[in-house]
Structure formats: structure tokens, C-alpha cells
Amino acid sequence: PEKRAKGRILSAELTLGKTLETPDMPSFEEWNSPRSVAELLLGTRWGKTRKKDLKRILSEADALNKSLDDRFETAIARDETLEWNPEFNRQLDRMDVQGRMHLLAELRNLLESDGYEGIKYVNKYEDPESRSYSYVVFDPANIRIKDEGETIQLPGPPQSKAAGGLIDKPLYDDRRMIG
């Protein structure tokens, strides 16, 4: 297998039925943003049929962001910074992750209710010259990993990821675990 900085590339076999084709996002992080994903989906033919639902999710994403901003501004007004108050930082992280996971799960559920098993897009972010599709797969059971001649069927969400959304975010960053 080809080696990369902290890992390797493995072959995967996808067994997907109906997929929704979308444009690519301007960055990988955008796939973790319910607002960005909802806006992207609004630009599709499917999104136009689900405009009311997507607008509601956009509104909820804005409310979540405002709530997080308000809590942060309150901390600043109290002269509390994230560095001085690690518990407050953990609470904000938890609210952010849980809120995004909930909204991304809603988006996934809308797509699944209309028979979609994933999203496909030409991955221009990683390779501007690409003509190949990348996929967002909703059910890990639709992915088989091939590693050194062995096929591994994924039983559920990868253990290092948070479950529940279109794109799952690792539950850690460089400094701490989010619990």
C-alpha cells in the first residue's frame, strides 16, 4: 500500500444504490458544517424539493452558532478565556460537536428518506484536475476495506469517529479528548 504522512491508502469497495451528485466543498472542514452542507444541498435538484426542510436546518445551524457565540462573548465579558477555563472550553466543544452531529444526522435522514444511500462529488478540493468521484457513505455496512488481500466489512461507524452525521468529526484534537 502507498504510504502517506500518518497512514496509508487502502482500497475500498462501495455498494451504493442511489447517490446524490453535488459539487465539491471549498475545504474538507465544510463537510462538517451543517450550514455549508445544507446550502450545498439547496443547490441541487433534490434540494429544491426539500427547500422547506433545508431552510429549517439552516435556521437551526444559525441558532446553534449564535448560542455558541453568545456563550463565548459572556465568557469574555467575565474575563474568562478558554485558556483560563478549560471546563468552559470543553462545554463549548461538546455543544458544538453535539449540535453539528444532530443537524448533520437530520440532513442524512432527509436524504435517506428519499432513498439516497450517499453523496458523490468530483473531489476538486484535493485534486483540482480530478475527474474521479469521492463519496459520502451513510451506512458503513456499504463499505468493504481491502487490506493486503483481506476484505474487511465495517460493522458500524469507525471507532475513532463521532457517529450521526454526513461527515463524522474525530472526537479529539491535538490537546485533549472531548468527553
Side-chain angles (χ1 to χ4, degrees), residues 18-61:
K18 188 175 172 184
T19 57
L20 179 66
E21 187 170 347
T22 70
D24 194 6
M25 290 284 194
S27 73
F28 178 77
E29 291 78 21
E30 295 293 320
W31 283 108
N32 286 313
S33 162
R35 171 165 253 304
S36 296
V37 174
E39 286 176 338
L40 180 79
L41 294 174
L42 267 172
T44 66
R45 185 176 298 162
W46 173 84
K48 291 177 184 13
T49 68
R50 289 298 202 141
K51 186 175 185 175
K52 181 179 175 185
D53 295 312
L54 293 173
K55 291 284 189 179
R56 177 185 53 78
I57 290 171
L58 283 169
S59 176
E60 289 180 30

mmCIF file of all heavy atoms in Angstrom, residues 18-61:
data_model
loop_
_atom_site.group_PDB
_atom_site.id
_atom_site.type_symbol
_atom_site.label_atom_id
_atom_site.label_comp_id
_atom_site.label_asym_id
_atom_site.label_seq_id
_atom_site.Cartn_x
_atom_site.Cartn_y
_atom_site.Cartn_z
ATOM 1 N N LYS A 18 -28.715 4.457 -4.826
ATOM 2 C CA LYS A 18 -28.963 5.835 -5.248
ATOM 3 C C LYS A 18 -28.051 6.807 -4.497
ATOM 4 O O LYS A 18 -28.006 6.810 -3.270
ATOM 5 C CB LYS A 18 -30.434 6.143 -4.959
ATOM 6 C CG LYS A 18 -30.966 7.430 -5.480
ATOM 7 C CD LYS A 18 -32.464 7.471 -5.188
ATOM 8 C CE LYS A 18 -33.067 8.805 -5.503
ATOM 9 N NZ LYS A 18 -34.494 8.841 -5.128
ATOM 10 N N THR A 19 -27.309 7.636 -5.258
ATOM 11 C CA THR A 19 -26.470 8.676 -4.664
ATOM 12 C C THR A 19 -26.846 10.032 -5.248
ATOM 13 O O THR A 19 -27.263 10.124 -6.397
ATOM 14 C CB THR A 19 -24.970 8.421 -4.923
ATOM 15 O OG1 THR A 19 -24.745 8.323 -6.321
ATOM 16 C CG2 THR A 19 -24.491 7.164 -4.229
ATOM 17 N N LEU A 20 -26.702 11.050 -4.436
ATOM 18 C CA LEU A 20 -26.967 12.411 -4.889
ATOM 19 C C LEU A 20 -25.655 13.040 -5.313
ATOM 20 O O LEU A 20 -24.702 13.074 -4.532
ATOM 21 C CB LEU A 20 -27.595 13.235 -3.756
ATOM 22 C CG LEU A 20 -27.904 14.693 -4.092
ATOM 23 C CD1 LEU A 20 -29.007 14.778 -5.154
ATOM 24 C CD2 LEU A 20 -28.308 15.453 -2.835
ATOM 25 N N GLU A 21 -25.593 13.516 -6.547
ATOM 26 C CA GLU A 21 -24.381 14.182 -7.022
ATOM 27 C C GLU A 21 -24.437 15.659 -6.657
ATOM 28 O O GLU A 21 -25.438 16.338 -6.901
ATOM 29 C CB GLU A 21 -24.227 14.020 -8.534
ATOM 30 C CG GLU A 21 -22.908 14.548 -9.038
ATOM 31 C CD GLU A 21 -22.624 14.186 -10.488
ATOM 32 O OE1 GLU A 21 -23.314 13.335 -11.058
ATOM 33 O OE2 GLU A 21 -21.684 14.790 -11.043
ATOM 34 N N THR A 22 -23.336 16.137 -6.056
ATOM 35 C CA THR A 22 -23.235 17.538 -5.652
ATOM 36 C C THR A 22 -21.900 18.092 -6.122
ATOM 37 O O THR A 22 -20.988 17.336 -6.432
ATOM 38 C CB THR A 22 -23.304 17.703 -4.119
ATOM 39 O OG1 THR A 22 -22.103 17.192 -3.541
ATOM 40 C CG2 THR A 22 -24.516 17.033 -3.516
ATOM 41 N N PRO A 23 -21.758 19.408 -6.116
ATOM 42 C CA PRO A 23 -20.424 19.989 -6.312
ATOM 43 C C PRO A 23 -19.568 19.682 -5.085
ATOM 44 O O PRO A 23 -20.087 19.279 -4.041
ATOM 45 C CB PRO A 23 -20.691 21.491 -6.424
ATOM 46 C CG PRO A 23 -22.156 21.662 -6.528
ATOM 47 C CD PRO A 23 -22.799 20.418 -6.014
ATOM 48 N N ASP A 24 -18.279 19.908 -5.176
ATOM 49 C CA ASP A 24 -17.386 19.730 -4.043
ATOM 50 C C ASP A 24 -17.472 20.950 -3.132
ATOM 51 O O ASP A 24 -17.914 22.023 -3.543
ATOM 52 C CB ASP A 24 -15.943 19.536 -4.540
ATOM 53 C CG ASP A 24 -15.005 19.006 -3.466
ATOM 54 O OD1 ASP A 24 -15.467 18.676 -2.361
ATOM 55 O OD2 ASP A 24 -13.796 18.930 -3.745
ATOM 56 N N MET A 25 -17.026 20.782 -1.905
ATOM 57 C CA MET A 25 -16.922 21.883 -0.953
ATOM 58 C C MET A 25 -15.577 22.575 -1.151
ATOM 59 O O MET A 25 -14.626 21.954 -1.626
ATOM 60 C CB MET A 25 -16.986 21.352 0.478
ATOM 61 C CG MET A 25 -18.332 20.838 0.883
ATOM 62 S SD MET A 25 -19.436 22.233 1.207
ATOM 63 C CE MET A 25 -20.747 21.385 2.033
ATOM 64 N N PRO A 26 -15.469 23.844 -0.747
ATOM 65 C CA PRO A 26 -14.189 24.548 -0.891
ATOM 66 C C PRO A 26 -13.106 24.040 0.055
ATOM 67 O O PRO A 26 -11.936 24.292 -0.163
ATOM 68 C CB PRO A 26 -14.532 26.003 -0.598
ATOM 69 C CG PRO A 26 -15.867 25.993 0.033
ATOM 70 C CD PRO A 26 -16.550 24.719 -0.316
ATOM 71 N N SER A 27 -13.485 23.306 1.122
ATOM 72 C CA SER A 27 -12.500 22.724 2.029
ATOM 73 C C SER A 27 -13.111 21.507 2.703
ATOM 74 O O SER A 27 -14.339 21.369 2.777
ATOM 75 C CB SER A 27 -12.051 23.730 3.093
ATOM 76 O OG SER A 27 -13.073 23.927 4.048
ATOM 77 N N PHE A 28 -12.252 20.642 3.231
ATOM 78 C CA PHE A 28 -12.740 19.451 3.921
ATOM 79 C C PHE A 28 -13.592 19.820 5.138
ATOM 80 O O PHE A 28 -14.602 19.183 5.425
ATOM 81 C CB PHE A 28 -11.558 18.562 4.345
ATOM 82 C CG PHE A 28 -11.983 17.353 5.102
ATOM 83 C CD1 PHE A 28 -12.519 16.265 4.436
ATOM 84 C CD2 PHE A 28 -11.883 17.304 6.477
ATOM 85 C CE1 PHE A 28 -12.947 15.140 5.126
ATOM 86 C CE2 PHE A 28 -12.296 16.187 7.183
ATOM 87 C CZ PHE A 28 -12.829 15.099 6.498
ATOM 88 N N GLU A 29 -13.193 20.854 5.860
ATOM 89 C CA GLU A 29 -13.901 21.257 7.071
ATOM 90 C C GLU A 29 -15.352 21.619 6.789
ATOM 91 O O GLU A 29 -16.213 21.463 7.647
ATOM 92 C CB GLU A 29 -13.194 22.441 7.745
ATOM 93 C CG GLU A 29 -11.856 22.107 8.346
ATOM 94 C CD GLU A 29 -10.733 22.001 7.308
ATOM 95 O OE1 GLU A 29 -10.861 22.556 6.195
ATOM 96 O OE2 GLU A 29 -9.733 21.342 7.627
ATOM 97 N N GLU A 30 -15.635 22.105 5.599
ATOM 98 C CA GLU A 30 -17.004 22.498 5.245
ATOM 99 C C GLU A 30 -17.970 21.316 5.304
ATOM 100 O O GLU A 30 -19.158 21.490 5.545
ATOM 101 C CB GLU A 30 -17.044 23.131 3.853
ATOM 102 C CG GLU A 30 -16.290 24.430 3.736
ATOM 103 C CD GLU A 30 -16.912 25.554 4.534
ATOM 104 O OE1 GLU A 30 -18.146 25.683 4.566
ATOM 105 O OE2 GLU A 30 -16.147 26.310 5.144
ATOM 106 N N TRP A 31 -17.467 20.092 5.064
ATOM 107 C CA TRP A 31 -18.331 18.905 5.148
ATOM 108 C C TRP A 31 -18.782 18.657 6.581
ATOM 109 O O TRP A 31 -19.733 17.901 6.816
ATOM 110 C CB TRP A 31 -17.621 17.678 4.585
ATOM 111 C CG TRP A 31 -17.575 17.647 3.095
ATOM 112 C CD1 TRP A 31 -16.474 17.857 2.309
ATOM 113 C CD2 TRP A 31 -18.654 17.394 2.196
ATOM 114 N NE1 TRP A 31 -16.827 17.751 0.982
ATOM 115 C CE2 TRP A 31 -18.151 17.461 0.884
ATOM 116 C CE3 TRP A 31 -20.009 17.118 2.375
ATOM 117 C CZ2 TRP A 31 -18.947 17.261 -0.242
ATOM 118 C CZ3 TRP A 31 -20.806 16.917 1.252
ATOM 119 C CH2 TRP A 31 -20.268 16.990 -0.038
ATOM 120 N N ASN A 32 -18.130 19.260 7.575
ATOM 121 C CA ASN A 32 -18.526 19.127 8.976
ATOM 122 C C ASN A 32 -19.470 20.240 9.425
ATOM 123 O O ASN A 32 -19.866 20.283 10.578
ATOM 124 C CB ASN A 32 -17.292 19.137 9.884
ATOM 125 C CG ASN A 32 -16.519 17.854 9.803
ATOM 126 O OD1 ASN A 32 -17.092 16.779 9.877
ATOM 127 N ND2 ASN A 32 -15.219 17.961 9.644
ATOM 128 N N SER A 33 -19.800 21.140 8.527
ATOM 129 C CA SER A 33 -20.651 22.281 8.860
ATOM 130 C C SER A 33 -22.071 22.032 8.343
ATOM 131 O O SER A 33 -22.291 21.996 7.127
ATOM 132 C CB SER A 33 -20.088 23.551 8.218
ATOM 133 O OG SER A 33 -21.066 24.560 8.177
ATOM 134 N N PRO A 34 -23.054 21.874 9.250
ATOM 135 C CA PRO A 34 -24.435 21.675 8.779
ATOM 136 C C PRO A 34 -24.899 22.798 7.864
ATOM 137 O O PRO A 34 -25.604 22.561 6.889
ATOM 138 C CB PRO A 34 -25.259 21.645 10.067
ATOM 139 C CG PRO A 34 -24.287 21.309 11.137
ATOM 140 C CD PRO A 34 -22.954 21.847 10.694
ATOM 141 N N ARG A 35 -24.493 24.036 8.177
ATOM 142 C CA ARG A 35 -24.892 25.174 7.333
ATOM 143 C C ARG A 35 -24.341 25.013 5.926
ATOM 144 O O ARG A 35 -25.063 25.166 4.947
ATOM 145 C CB ARG A 35 -24.396 26.488 7.952
ATOM 146 C CG ARG A 35 -24.594 27.674 7.017
ATOM 147 C CD ARG A 35 -24.454 28.994 7.690
ATOM 148 N NE ARG A 35 -25.710 29.684 7.873
ATOM 149 C CZ ARG A 35 -26.564 29.991 6.895
ATOM 150 N NH1 ARG A 35 -26.333 29.630 5.674
ATOM 151 N NH2 ARG A 35 -27.668 30.645 7.149
ATOM 152 N N SER A 36 -23.056 24.673 5.812
ATOM 153 C CA SER A 36 -22.441 24.528 4.493
ATOM 154 C C SER A 36 -23.049 23.373 3.711
ATOM 155 O O SER A 36 -23.305 23.493 2.507
ATOM 156 C CB SER A 36 -20.929 24.306 4.635
ATOM 157 O OG SER A 36 -20.330 25.438 5.212
ATOM 158 N N VAL A 37 -23.290 22.256 4.386
ATOM 159 C CA VAL A 37 -23.873 21.097 3.700
ATOM 160 C C VAL A 37 -25.297 21.412 3.249
ATOM 161 O O VAL A 37 -25.680 21.113 2.116
ATOM 162 C CB VAL A 37 -23.832 19.831 4.593
ATOM 163 C CG1 VAL A 37 -24.578 18.683 3.936
ATOM 164 C CG2 VAL A 37 -22.389 19.432 4.882
ATOM 165 N N ALA A 38 -26.090 22.048 4.122
ATOM 166 C CA ALA A 38 -27.464 22.403 3.752
ATOM 167 C C ALA A 38 -27.482 23.364 2.558
ATOM 168 O O ALA A 38 -28.298 23.217 1.643
ATOM 169 C CB ALA A 38 -28.201 22.995 4.945
ATOM 170 N N GLU A 39 -26.584 24.354 2.572
ATOM 171 C CA GLU A 39 -26.507 25.286 1.437
ATOM 172 C C GLU A 39 -26.118 24.556 0.152
ATOM 173 O O GLU A 39 -26.670 24.826 -0.915
ATOM 174 C CB GLU A 39 -25.498 26.400 1.730
ATOM 175 C CG GLU A 39 -26.003 27.417 2.726
ATOM 176 C CD GLU A 39 -24.965 28.461 3.086
ATOM 177 O OE1 GLU A 39 -23.749 28.206 2.914
ATOM 178 O OE2 GLU A 39 -25.372 29.536 3.555
ATOM 179 N N LEU A 40 -25.174 23.635 0.255
ATOM 180 C CA LEU A 40 -24.766 22.846 -0.911
ATOM 181 C C LEU A 40 -25.949 22.044 -1.445
ATOM 182 O O LEU A 40 -26.206 22.029 -2.649
ATOM 183 C CB LEU A 40 -23.618 21.910 -0.525
ATOM 184 C CG LEU A 40 -23.084 21.012 -1.636
ATOM 185 C CD1 LEU A 40 -22.145 21.810 -2.541
ATOM 186 C CD2 LEU A 40 -22.363 19.823 -1.045
ATOM 187 N N LEU A 41 -26.687 21.399 -0.545
ATOM 188 C CA LEU A 41 -27.824 20.576 -0.960
ATOM 189 C C LEU A 41 -28.942 21.417 -1.557
ATOM 190 O O LEU A 41 -29.640 20.963 -2.472
ATOM 191 C CB LEU A 41 -28.340 19.750 0.222
ATOM 192 C CG LEU A 41 -27.379 18.691 0.756
ATOM 193 C CD1 LEU A 41 -27.937 18.044 2.015
ATOM 194 C CD2 LEU A 41 -27.058 17.655 -0.298
ATOM 195 N N LEU A 42 -29.116 22.640 -1.062
ATOM 196 C CA LEU A 42 -30.134 23.530 -1.630
ATOM 197 C C LEU A 42 -29.885 23.801 -3.109
ATOM 198 O O LEU A 42 -30.824 24.062 -3.865
ATOM 199 C CB LEU A 42 -30.163 24.866 -0.879
ATOM 200 C CG LEU A 42 -31.136 24.984 0.264
ATOM 201 C CD1 LEU A 42 -30.903 26.280 1.032
ATOM 202 C CD2 LEU A 42 -32.574 24.882 -0.189
ATOM 203 N N GLY A 43 -28.642 23.735 -3.532
ATOM 204 C CA GLY A 43 -28.296 23.989 -4.921
ATOM 205 C C GLY A 43 -28.531 22.804 -5.853
ATOM 206 O O GLY A 43 -28.299 22.908 -7.053
ATOM 207 N N THR A 44 -28.991 21.682 -5.303
ATOM 208 C CA THR A 44 -29.248 20.503 -6.132
ATOM 209 C C THR A 44 -30.729 20.430 -6.500
ATOM 210 O O THR A 44 -31.574 21.082 -5.863
ATOM 211 C CB THR A 44 -28.862 19.201 -5.392
ATOM 212 O OG1 THR A 44 -29.736 19.025 -4.268
ATOM 213 C CG2 THR A 44 -27.408 19.241 -4.940
ATOM 214 N N ARG A 45 -31.044 19.618 -7.491
ATOM 215 C CA ARG A 45 -32.444 19.403 -7.867
ATOM 216 C C ARG A 45 -33.214 18.836 -6.670
ATOM 217 O O ARG A 45 -34.333 19.254 -6.382
ATOM 218 C CB ARG A 45 -32.519 18.442 -9.060
ATOM 219 C CG ARG A 45 -33.929 18.272 -9.573
ATOM 220 C CD ARG A 45 -33.980 17.411 -10.798
ATOM 221 N NE ARG A 45 -33.203 18.073 -11.841
ATOM 222 C CZ ARG A 45 -32.738 17.472 -12.916
ATOM 223 N NH1 ARG A 45 -32.962 16.202 -13.116
ATOM 224 N NH2 ARG A 45 -32.042 18.128 -13.814
ATOM 225 N N TRP A 46 -32.602 17.877 -5.959
ATOM 226 C CA TRP A 46 -33.246 17.295 -4.768
ATOM 227 C C TRP A 46 -33.488 18.384 -3.728
ATOM 228 O O TRP A 46 -34.554 18.426 -3.107
ATOM 229 C CB TRP A 46 -32.365 16.183 -4.178
ATOM 230 C CG TRP A 46 -32.881 15.674 -2.876
ATOM 231 C CD1 TRP A 46 -33.848 14.722 -2.695
ATOM 232 C CD2 TRP A 46 -32.510 16.115 -1.567
ATOM 233 N NE1 TRP A 46 -34.082 14.534 -1.360
ATOM 234 C CE2 TRP A 46 -33.273 15.384 -0.636
ATOM 235 C CE3 TRP A 46 -31.605 17.043 -1.076
ATOM 236 C CZ2 TRP A 46 -33.156 15.545 0.740
ATOM 237 C CZ3 TRP A 46 -31.485 17.220 0.297
ATOM 238 C CH2 TRP A 46 -32.250 16.479 1.177
ATOM 239 N N GLY A 47 -32.501 19.260 -3.519
ATOM 240 C CA GLY A 47 -32.623 20.318 -2.523
ATOM 241 C C GLY A 47 -33.781 21.254 -2.783
ATOM 242 O O GLY A 47 -34.419 21.749 -1.849
ATOM 243 N N LYS A 48 -34.085 21.475 -4.048
ATOM 244 C CA LYS A 48 -35.215 22.347 -4.373
ATOM 245 C C LYS A 48 -36.534 21.704 -3.941
ATOM 246 O O LYS A 48 -37.470 22.398 -3.581
ATOM 247 C CB LYS A 48 -35.201 22.679 -5.858
ATOM 248 C CG LYS A 48 -34.019 23.585 -6.204
ATOM 249 C CD LYS A 48 -33.916 23.887 -7.673
ATOM 250 C CE LYS A 48 -32.716 24.689 -8.069
ATOM 251 N NZ LYS A 48 -31.637 24.887 -7.168
ATOM 252 N N THR A 49 -36.596 20.363 -3.937
ATOM 253 C CA THR A 49 -37.812 19.678 -3.483
ATOM 254 C C THR A 49 -37.888 19.629 -1.958
ATOM 255 O O THR A 49 -38.954 19.390 -1.409
ATOM 256 C CB THR A 49 -37.894 18.231 -4.023
ATOM 257 O OG1 THR A 49 -36.877 17.437 -3.412
ATOM 258 C CG2 THR A 49 -37.769 18.194 -5.534
ATOM 259 N N ARG A 50 -36.778 19.861 -1.293
ATOM 260 C CA ARG A 50 -36.712 19.814 0.177
ATOM 261 C C ARG A 50 -36.345 21.167 0.764
ATOM 262 O O ARG A 50 -35.800 21.257 1.860
ATOM 263 C CB ARG A 50 -35.682 18.772 0.618
ATOM 264 C CG ARG A 50 -36.086 17.357 0.387
ATOM 265 C CD ARG A 50 -37.346 17.030 1.186
ATOM 266 N NE ARG A 50 -37.448 15.598 1.385
ATOM 267 C CZ ARG A 50 -37.859 15.053 2.503
ATOM 268 N NH1 ARG A 50 -38.218 15.800 3.520
ATOM 269 N NH2 ARG A 50 -37.951 13.734 2.599
ATOM 270 N N LYS A 51 -36.667 22.220 0.011
ATOM 271 C CA LYS A 51 -36.267 23.570 0.390
ATOM 272 C C LYS A 51 -36.727 23.944 1.809
ATOM 273 O O LYS A 51 -35.954 24.487 2.598
ATOM 274 C CB LYS A 51 -36.808 24.578 -0.625
ATOM 275 C CG LYS A 51 -36.336 25.986 -0.410
ATOM 276 C CD LYS A 51 -36.816 26.889 -1.532
ATOM 277 C CE LYS A 51 -36.239 28.278 -1.364
ATOM 278 N NZ LYS A 51 -36.585 29.138 -2.495
ATOM 279 N N LYS A 52 -37.972 23.623 2.157
ATOM 280 C CA LYS A 52 -38.511 23.973 3.470
ATOM 281 C C LYS A 52 -37.700 23.301 4.586
ATOM 282 O O LYS A 52 -37.328 23.946 5.565
ATOM 283 C CB LYS A 52 -39.984 23.560 3.552
ATOM 284 C CG LYS A 52 -40.648 23.887 4.858
ATOM 285 C CD LYS A 52 -42.106 23.453 4.837
ATOM 286 C CE LYS A 52 -42.742 23.661 6.193
ATOM 287 N NZ LYS A 52 -44.116 23.142 6.224
ATOM 288 N N ASP A 53 -37.412 22.008 4.436
ATOM 289 C CA ASP A 53 -36.633 21.283 5.443
ATOM 290 C C ASP A 53 -35.215 21.835 5.549
ATOM 291 O O ASP A 53 -34.683 21.995 6.651
ATOM 292 C CB ASP A 53 -36.561 19.786 5.093
ATOM 293 C CG ASP A 53 -37.918 19.122 5.152
ATOM 294 O OD1 ASP A 53 -38.637 19.310 6.146
ATOM 295 O OD2 ASP A 53 -38.256 18.408 4.188
ATOM 296 N N LEU A 54 -34.606 22.111 4.408
ATOM 297 C CA LEU A 54 -33.227 22.611 4.413
ATOM 298 C C LEU A 54 -33.151 24.020 5.005
ATOM 299 O O LEU A 54 -32.204 24.337 5.735
ATOM 300 C CB LEU A 54 -32.641 22.568 3.004
ATOM 301 C CG LEU A 54 -32.442 21.152 2.435
ATOM 302 C CD1 LEU A 54 -32.029 21.218 0.973
ATOM 303 C CD2 LEU A 54 -31.421 20.381 3.250
ATOM 304 N N LYS A 55 -34.138 24.845 4.736
ATOM 305 C CA LYS A 55 -34.172 26.197 5.320
ATOM 306 C C LYS A 55 -34.314 26.113 6.846
ATOM 307 O O LYS A 55 -33.695 26.892 7.580
ATOM 308 C CB LYS A 55 -35.320 27.029 4.730
ATOM 309 C CG LYS A 55 -35.136 27.399 3.279
ATOM 310 C CD LYS A 55 -34.128 28.504 3.157
ATOM 311 C CE LYS A 55 -34.108 29.033 1.731
ATOM 312 N NZ LYS A 55 -33.153 30.116 1.576
ATOM 313 N N ARG A 56 -35.114 25.150 7.328
ATOM 314 C CA ARG A 56 -35.260 24.963 8.774
ATOM 315 C C ARG A 56 -33.915 24.564 9.392
ATOM 316 O O ARG A 56 -33.513 25.091 10.433
ATOM 317 C CB ARG A 56 -36.311 23.884 9.066
ATOM 318 C CG ARG A 56 -36.467 23.583 10.565
ATOM 319 C CD ARG A 56 -37.427 22.423 10.820
ATOM 320 N NE ARG A 56 -37.108 21.226 10.073
ATOM 321 C CZ ARG A 56 -36.134 20.367 10.384
ATOM 322 N NH1 ARG A 56 -35.358 20.585 11.434
ATOM 323 N NH2 ARG A 56 -35.928 19.284 9.650
ATOM 324 N N ILE A 57 -33.200 23.657 8.738
ATOM 325 C CA ILE A 57 -31.898 23.228 9.249
ATOM 326 C C ILE A 57 -30.895 24.381 9.215
ATOM 327 O O ILE A 57 -30.104 24.559 10.144
ATOM 328 C CB ILE A 57 -31.402 21.978 8.491
ATOM 329 C CG1 ILE A 57 -32.287 20.781 8.879
ATOM 330 C CG2 ILE A 57 -29.926 21.694 8.783
ATOM 331 C CD1 ILE A 57 -32.070 19.534 8.065
ATOM 332 N N LEU A 58 -30.948 25.198 8.167
ATOM 333 C CA LEU A 58 -30.096 26.396 8.118
ATOM 334 C C LEU A 58 -30.385 27.312 9.308
ATOM 335 O O LEU A 58 -29.468 27.834 9.942
ATOM 336 C CB LEU A 58 -30.310 27.158 6.803
ATOM 337 C CG LEU A 58 -29.648 26.583 5.569
ATOM 338 C CD1 LEU A 58 -30.156 27.283 4.311
ATOM 339 C CD2 LEU A 58 -28.139 26.719 5.674
ATOM 340 N N SER A 59 -31.655 27.490 9.602
ATOM 341 C CA SER A 59 -32.050 28.336 10.728
ATOM 342 C C SER A 59 -31.546 27.745 12.046
ATOM 343 O O SER A 59 -31.038 28.473 12.916
ATOM 344 C CB SER A 59 -33.575 28.472 10.743
ATOM 345 O OG SER A 59 -33.991 29.207 11.856
ATOM 346 N N GLU A 60 -31.656 26.428 12.215
ATOM 347 C CA GLU A 60 -31.161 25.778 13.432
ATOM 348 C C GLU A 60 -29.640 25.879 13.534
ATOM 349 O O GLU A 60 -29.103 26.061 14.629
ATOM 350 C CB GLU A 60 -31.606 24.317 13.477
ATOM 351 C CG GLU A 60 -33.090 24.150 13.734
ATOM 352 C CD GLU A 60 -33.518 22.694 13.769
ATOM 353 O OE1 GLU A 60 -32.718 21.820 14.157
ATOM 354 O OE2 GLU A 60 -34.676 22.429 13.400
ATOM 355 N N ALA A 61 -28.942 25.767 12.410
ATOM 356 C CA ALA A 61 -27.479 25.907 12.413
ATOM 357 C C ALA A 61 -27.093 27.326 12.827
ATOM 358 O O ALA A 61 -26.154 27.517 13.612
ATOM 359 C CB ALA A 61 -26.902 25.566 11.045
#
